Amino acid sequence: AARMFLRLLSDVQWRAAHPKWRRMTSSQRSTSTTAEPHPVSLPAQAQVVICGGGIMGTSVAYHLSKMGWKDVVLLEQGRLAAGTTRFCAGIVSTARPVSIELKMAHYSNKLYQQLEQETGVQTGYMKTGSISLAQTQDRLISLKRIASSLNVMGIPCEIISPKKVVQLHPLINIHDLVGAMYVPEDALVSSANVSLALATAASRNGVQIHERTSVSHITVQKGRVTGVETDRGRIECEYFVNCAGQWAYELGHSGEEPVHIPLHACEHFYLLTHPLKEPLSSSLPTVVDPDGRIYIRNWQGGILSGGFEKNPKPLFTEGRNQLEIQNLQEDWDHFAPLLGALLRRMPGLEALQIMQLVNCPESFTPDMRCIMGESPTARGYFVLAGMNSAGISYGGGAGKYLAEWMVNGYPSENVWPLDLKRFGTLQSSRTFLRHRVMEVMPLMCDLKVPRWDFQTGRQLRTSPLYDRLDAQGARWMEKHGFERVKYFVPPGNDLLDLDHSKTFYKPDWFDIVGSEVKCCKEAVCVIDMSSFTKFEISSTGDQALESLQYLFSNDLDVPVGHVVHTGMLNEKGGYENDCSIARLSKRSFFMISPTDQQVHCWAWLKKHLPDDSNLIMEDVTWKYTALNLIGPRAVDVLSELSYAPMTAEHFPSLFCKEMSVGYANGIRVMSITHTGEPGFVLYIPIEYALHVYNEVMNMGQKYGIRNAGYYALRSLRIEKFFAFWGQDLDAFTTPMECGREFQVKLEKGMQFLGQEALLEQKQNGVYKRFTMFILEDHDTDLDLWPWWGEPIFRNGRYVGKTTSSAYSYTLERHVCLGFVHHFDEKTGEELVVTPDFINQGEYEIDIAGQRFQAKAKLYPFSSLFTQRRRKDEVELSGYQRE
């Protein structure tokens, strides 16, 4: 390998002495359709202004024009497709672990396939297929999970042997492989030419495109976009779309109302070679070797090979700008590990002559998912950026979904995993972003087993009890920047092993979580749930009640002190939020929502609440620490601490009361646990948090109290068939589809958002139904575990996917939750799903290609396996929200 490297390096030194190199693409331009030969004046106004002429900006323009929005102006500070798009490797891959990303890539592939015929612009589209290699069994399992998702979507895919790899790509060394995944319909394109083709089609549909025009400022009045300032004048507009790529962060902060777009650029390297003596076939499959951290594709008879090194180099942290991205400096020392991996995978490249080592910036996001959607602070300000080196794969689908969002008010798929509002301002620190992307870029290739956690940017938001819990063995995960306990390691356990227990099989924390669950059911546990989003909404008159009654599906006009579980629905009846609301007084409400709803829910309420100075909304998340006391002895602990009777007669289920606990006053106590088990949640002013926690733990000793974490909570809520928002529930799921009709005030004659859609479902039936599955022939110790996203089969036919799962220590079985659809066998049309349809089927769950029999239930097993609870507690005791 060393001799090969020296030979390649000598070729590079020759290239340094002869710096002329061929550009990857020749810019194909139609001056009549895509760009003016001489600058013409900008229009004074437009409906939409798009900033950025790369693959994202042109895709949004293309899809907006296709949907009938013609009054669109696209501005590019340099030349079209001259930024990161120009340097993109051009690999269109559908092998994505996240469902919405898979759908975007699949649509992009189909779009690019017909784009050349539509526009007359050559896009270089070539269906080559792709091979993802596995050097370990765990990697092969992850590929099998992806393959299961691809197959049920109708995308051809198969797991193949190393011998089949050689048949498909004779140059590949297979000595260390255990298998691979082959996706025959993956493709290659010229990224710049795809962008130019999209621009050509958009221009023909009426979109105006102006190059050499820099956006300097976005004007916002009364929370809405009103115009764009450029170096060539101002354009009044209703909508602005930030597709500025790696400059999206800076552009977001250039307006009067900052829009936080958390992304950061890193240097990305790939190698271009001259053609081989026997030039590679243009149809040779692309090779992805994630364990080697590299990808390899044919390029003009030679190869293009890059990767994601373990020690990435962030750049432009200080916000430096360039009109067009010039090729950054070659760094062969930095590229050496990737080159070594390439030569090991393709030893026949020893005599190959290098054309160039390309170094170009790519932007990455804090969670490795792209960013799209409307700003929570400026209405009409949309964002599409942060593609994590997959811009060409996502470009078509992402542009389509964003255009749908702008035109219709919502996209055609659930894009919450990509929504800008999943982030808050806390993820926009440049230091945080620089450190996080140094972790994210290697993770592009690292094996990601279920429930892995980021290591950078941690301990950012913490409960006042963090140090106390940490000293007692807490193991932490992060949600929306907030540290939350997974479980507690008992004294004497090997802490290091537990921190590194990463597997698709039975995890090392199995028995620890089991003991926490047992304590919740038999004694009392304490879980710190301070991360939940908490709002207070009040008014001088009846404005708060009247407004909330319209925005929430359940009746909030309840006696003071009562707690209501309710959905915050959209016009289609889907869950924008799932929350608990306590009526503190006639004119004051306390709202508890999932942790990652902090930005989204605030923006939704601000958008829909009337602009009334007498109506006050405050985010009090940081003011309260929340302690969840779960278990039959919780009532004893709280009774002794408060000197107040806490039995069902004095403190009924779904009730809220301010009490004293220990020395502390003003504790909001709610008879709810979000698990179906008896107990209470204490909302404690933060200055009292440590005192109350100590009092609870001391008093609880005689009742067998212990700390517990969210893994125990997850097991409890799933075996009780409780859905949570963000995984089971989303903007496309209605109460009628998940058995929550009893939480909807349809019969009370009150108008509320989403009412018409629910009435229609009540009359016509639902097209999917939330179902509980208990695996029957599954060996917990030996078989792969279900985690989420596994295909569900009914009588051998695909009917949906699981949305969450956990091991039930009560049932001693795995429990999966998911939605069952009913597809017509001949046409594929969706049909109504009835309870009989659910109950009369034979079910299997597909885990990485292996199917396990499952029993389907529309109601939980709880009453059969646990002692009898208060009836209203079992039926209404809350829904886990993570």
Side-chain angles (χ1 to χ4, degrees):
R3 183 165 60 88
M4 296 179 196
F5 175 75
L6 290 173
R7 180 157 188 168
L8 289 170
L9 187 58
S10 67
D11 190 61
V12 172
Q13 290 168 342
W14 182 90
R15 292 304 309 162
H18 302 78
K20 294 180 181 178
W21 54 282
R22 284 182 293 173
R23 294 180 179 235
M24 288 178 58
T25 61
S26 58
S27 294
Q28 297 183 8
R29 296 178 178 277
S30 170
T31 55
S32 63
T33 58
T34 62
E36 65 281 3
H38 302 290
V40 297
S41 60
L42 298 179
Q45 63 183 38
Q47 184 181 13
V48 182
V49 173
I50 301 170
C51 176
I55 185 68
M56 294 302 148
T58 54
S59 179
V60 173
Y62 170 87
H63 286 95
L64 283 175
S65 67
K66 285 281 187 180
M67 296 183 72
W69 282 22
K70 312 290 188 181
D71 189 11
V72 177
V73 175
L74 187 151
L75 306 177
E76 163 56 44
Q77 63 176 349
R79 294 171 299 136
L80 286 178
T84 304
T85 298
R86 176 164 62 105
F87 291 100
C88 179
I91 300 170
V92 184
S93 169
T94 53
R96 306 288 167 179
V98 179
S99 176
I100 186 63
E101 292 178 342
L102 192 160
K103 290 175 181 177
M104 288 196 304
H106 183 45
Y107 173 83
S108 297
N109 196 337
K110 292 192 294 183
L111 173 67
Y112 303 158
Q113 191 170 355
Q114 55 86 34
L115 202 55
E116 187 171 322
Q117 181 179 354
E118 178 185 347
T119 64
V121 177
Q122 293 182 3
T123 59
Y125 183 90
M126 173 67 70
K127 189 176 290 187
T128 61
S130 71
I131 307 170
S132 297
L133 309 179
Q135 296 182 28
T136 67
Q137 287 296 333
D138 273 348
R139 177 69 70 182
L140 189 59
I141 290 167
S142 72
L143 294 179
K144 287 178 177 178
R145 289 179 62 88
I146 293 172
S148 292
S149 294
L150 290 171
N151 282 323
V152 296
M153 278 193 64
I155 301 172
C157 173
E158 61 177 315
I159 298 298
I160 60 175
S161 67
K163 288 183 179 179
K164 182 67 181 290
V165 172
V166 171
Q167 293 173 16
L168 292 168
H169 201 307
L171 296 180
I172 295 297
N173 175 9
I174 62 169
H175 78 280
D176 57 349
L177 300 183
V178 297
M181 178 177 69
Y182 177 48
V183 185
E185 293 189 355
D186 280 356
L188 297 176
V189 294
S190 164
S191 305
N193 289 357
V194 167
S195 187
L196 293 171
L198 292 168
T200 298
S203 180
R204 288 173 182 167
N205 282 333
V207 173
Q208 297 183 54
I209 298 175
H210 295 266
E211 297 182 311
R212 309 291 186 187
T213 306
S214 296
V215 174
S216 58
H217 188 69
I218 314 302
T219 56
V220 177
Q221 293 180 5
K222 296 182 178 180
R224 178 156 200 109
V225 167
T226 58
V228 176
E229 299 284 354
T230 78
D231 58 353
R232 294 174 53 201
R234 175 179 171 82
I235 306 176
E236 303 283 340
C237 65
E238 299 174 50
Y239 298 91
F240 174 73
V241 188
N242 184 339
C243 294
Q246 62 181 318
W247 313 123
Y249 177 96
E250 282 77 20
L251 183 58
H253 283 79
S254 68
E256 298 161 2
E257 183 72 53
V259 174
H260 301 285
I261 306 168
L263 53 79
H264 196 293
C266 278
E267 296 182 30
H268 178 58
F269 296 87
Y270 62 78
L271 185 75
L272 296 173
T273 76
H274 287 286
L276 278 70
K277 288 182 179 178
E278 291 186 17
L280 291 179
S281 165
S282 61
S283 60
L284 208 60
T286 297
V287 174
V288 180
D289 184 2
D291 297 308
R293 318 191 73 80
I294 57 170
Y295 57 83
I296 308 162
R297 57 154 288 191
N298 70 75
W299 186 73
Q300 298 184 4
I303 67 160
L304 180 159
S305 179
F308 301 94
E309 62 273 24
K310 290 184 178 181
N311 56 333
K313 298 168 68 176
L315 74 166
F316 306 146
T317 302
E318 67 283 357
R320 184 178 137 204
N321 206 335
Q322 295 169 288
L323 275 183
E324 293 170 22
I325 300 167
Q326 304 302 318
N327 194 37
L328 302 170
Q329 293 298 310
E330 293 181 342
D331 189 339
W332 278 98
D333 289 337
H334 192 77
F335 191 71
L338 299 180
L339 178 59
L342 170 63
L343 295 176
R344 285 189 294 274
R345 187 55 59 210
M346 296 181 71
L349 298 185
E350 176 185 356
L352 201 59
Q353 287 187 323
I354 290 175
M355 178 173 290
Q356 188 191 12
L357 179 64
V358 177
N359 177 4
C360 61
E362 286 275 8
S363 58
F364 296 86
T365 63
D367 60 1
M368 296 189 294
R369 300 198 298 266
C370 72
I371 296 172
M372 70 163 59
E374 188 174 18
S375 161
T377 54
R379 291 182 64 188
Y381 191 123
F382 284 82
V383 177
L384 186 57
M387 294 297 132
N388 299 282
S389 200
I392 194 64
S393 290
Y394 298 155
K400 171 179 180 282
Y401 290 143
L402 194 78
E404 290 173 345
W405 203 331
M406 295 173 68
V407 174
N408 301 328
Y410 46 84
S412 57
E413 296 282 350
N414 172 37
V415 296
W416 169 249
L418 315 177
D419 195 327
L420 171 64
K421 292 185 283 294
R422 73 187 187 272
F423 295 118
T425 57
L426 55 95
Q427 284 99 350
S428 285
S429 153
R430 291 305 272 175
T431 304
F432 166 83
L433 288 170
R434 182 181 176 89
H435 291 173
R436 176 55 68 85
V437 298
M438 291 176 72
E439 179 184 11
V440 160
M441 192 168 168
L443 279 169
M444 301 297 292
C445 287
D446 286 352
L447 183 67
K448 291 174 282 293
V449 298
R451 300 187 188 174
W452 59 275
D453 301 293
F454 289 107
Q455 302 303 309
T456 53
R458 297 295 297 270
Q459 299 182 34
L460 190 57
R461 302 174 72 195
T462 61
S463 157
L465 305 178
Y466 178 87
D467 289 338
R468 184 72 197 279
L469 301 178
D470 195 57
Q472 296 178 76
R475 287 295 169 264
W476 302 92
M477 60 182 177
E478 171 257 335
K479 186 81 167 181
H480 202 62
F482 216 115
E483 296 293 329
R484 311 198 308 179
V485 180
K486 296 189 280 191
Y487 49 80
F488 286 83
V489 179
N493 280 60
D494 189 332
L495 308 187
L496 189 63
D497 280 355
L498 275 165
D499 279 345
H500 293 87
S501 61
K502 297 180 177 179
T503 178
F504 290 100
Y505 290 90
K506 179 181 177 181
D508 292 345
W509 44 256
F510 179 82
D511 291 330
I512 293 175
V513 173
S515 63
E516 292 180 3
V517 168
K518 187 173 189 289
C519 188
C520 287
K521 289 181 171 293
E522 297 177 358
V524 56
C525 278
V526 178
I527 303 180
D528 184 344
M529 299 176 66
S530 303
S531 67
F532 273 8
T533 298
K534 299 173 276 286
F535 296 162
E536 287 182 0
I537 304 164
S538 59
S539 59
T540 55
D542 294 331
Q543 299 95 329
L545 176 62
E546 291 171 0
S547 300
L548 296 181
Q549 284 284 60
Y550 177 69
L551 292 182
F552 292 90
S553 58
N554 209 344
D555 187 5
L556 299 180
D557 193 6
V558 294
V560 171
H562 283 247
V563 181
V564 176
H565 287 294
T566 181
M568 183 175 79
L569 309 182
N570 53 38
E571 290 181 356
K572 300 177 75 173
Y575 281 96
E576 293 294 334
N577 187 8
D578 175 42
C579 54
S580 308
I581 299 180
R583 191 169 193 179
L584 301 179
S585 70
K586 286 284 187 183
R587 298 170 179 174
S588 178
F589 297 85
F590 186 48
M591 178 178 173
I592 313 298
S593 301
T595 300
D596 51 6
Q597 274 278 1
Q598 191 165 13
V599 177
H600 173 70
C601 181
W602 181 269
W604 181 270
L605 290 173
K606 278 288 186 184
K607 180 178 180 180
H608 290 88
L609 286 173
D611 187 11
D612 186 342
S613 59
N614 295 313
L615 185 62
I616 302 162
M617 183 169 68
E618 182 184 3
D619 185 343
V620 294
T621 300
W622 63 274
K623 287 187 176 182
Y624 293 94
T625 295
L627 291 182
N628 195 351
L629 273 63
I630 305 176
R633 306 315 297 265
V635 63
D636 301 306
V637 174
L638 212 50
S639 293
E640 293 198 40
L641 280 175
S642 61
Y643 291 96
M646 302 297 295
T647 58
E649 294 74 30
H650 298 90
F651 208 114
S653 180
L654 295 175
F655 197 69
C656 175
K657 186 190 295 185
E658 274 203 2
M659 301 175 61
S660 298
V661 178
Y663 298 153
N665 290 319
I667 312 299
R668 292 176 181 171
V669 179
M670 295 189 191
S671 49
I672 175 178
T673 65
H674 309 290
T675 63
E677 301 299 325
F680 306 89
V681 179
L682 281 56
Y683 289 95
I684 310 159
I686 55 170
E687 63 267 33
Y688 301 146
L690 196 56
H691 167 75
V692 173
Y693 174 78
N694 289 337
E695 290 290 299
V696 166
M697 295 304 288
N698 290 335
M699 184 62 70
Q701 290 302 316
K702 59 184 176 184
Y703 298 110
I705 199 167
R706 66 178 289 170
N707 291 299
Y710 272 82
Y711 282 12
L713 199 77
R714 185 192 305 250
S715 175
L716 290 167
R717 73 94 181 168
I718 286 179
E719 74 178 21
K720 292 293 177 61
F721 201 13
F722 289 169
F724 70 75
W725 189 90
Q727 193 158 339
D728 303 308
L729 306 179
D730 58 41
F732 289 81
T733 304
T734 74
M736 303 302 195
E737 296 163 345
C738 58
R740 296 194 183 180
E741 297 92 331
F742 64 93
Q743 287 187 1
V744 179
K745 54 194 175 194
L746 283 178
E747 310 300 330
K748 296 198 174 184
M750 303 179 200
Q751 278 199 326
F752 61 91
L753 194 58
Q755 182 179 26
E756 290 182 12
L758 298 189
L759 286 170
E760 185 177 333
Q761 280 194 330
K762 185 176 181 180
Q763 181 175 345
N764 299 333
V766 297
Y767 291 89
K768 62 179 179 180
R769 198 174 285 270
F770 196 48
T771 309
M772 178 181 189
F773 298 94
I774 293 85
L775 297 190
E776 294 190 314
D777 60 345
H778 183 269
D779 189 319
T780 302
D781 294 319
L782 300 177
D783 289 326
L784 287 168
W785 275 30
W787 296 96
W788 61 275
E790 291 85 11
I792 303 165
F793 290 87
R794 178 187 183 274
N795 298 344
R797 294 179 59 83
Y798 170 70
V799 291
K801 283 187 176 183
T802 64
T803 50
S804 57
S805 65
Y807 182 80
S808 166
Y809 295 88
T810 306
L811 305 176
E812 297 183 346
R813 291 282 189 277
H814 258 97
V815 177
C816 300
L817 307 182
F819 286 91
V820 171
H821 301 251
H822 184 187
F823 302 107
D824 184 275
E825 292 189 17
K826 294 181 179 178
T827 65
E829 178 188 359
E830 283 202 83
L831 305 174
V832 169
V833 179
T834 63
D836 283 345
F837 178 81
I838 300 290
N839 294 328
Q840 292 169 6
E842 297 290 330
Y843 292 89
E844 295 172 302
I845 306 295
D846 180 320
I847 306 176
Q850 184 177 357
R851 295 188 188 181
F852 296 90
Q853 291 181 358
K855 181 76 172 176
K857 301 291 289 183
L858 288 170
Y859 303 97
F861 276 95
S862 340
S863 57
L864 302 178
F865 292 91
T866 58
Q867 68 182 57
R868 203 164 179 81
R869 310 291 187 208
R870 299 197 299 270
K871 185 172 184 294
D872 54 353
E873 178 89 18
V874 172
E875 290 179 350
L876 300 172
S877 61
Y879 304 93
Q880 168 56 14
R881 296 178 297 274
E882 296 201 350

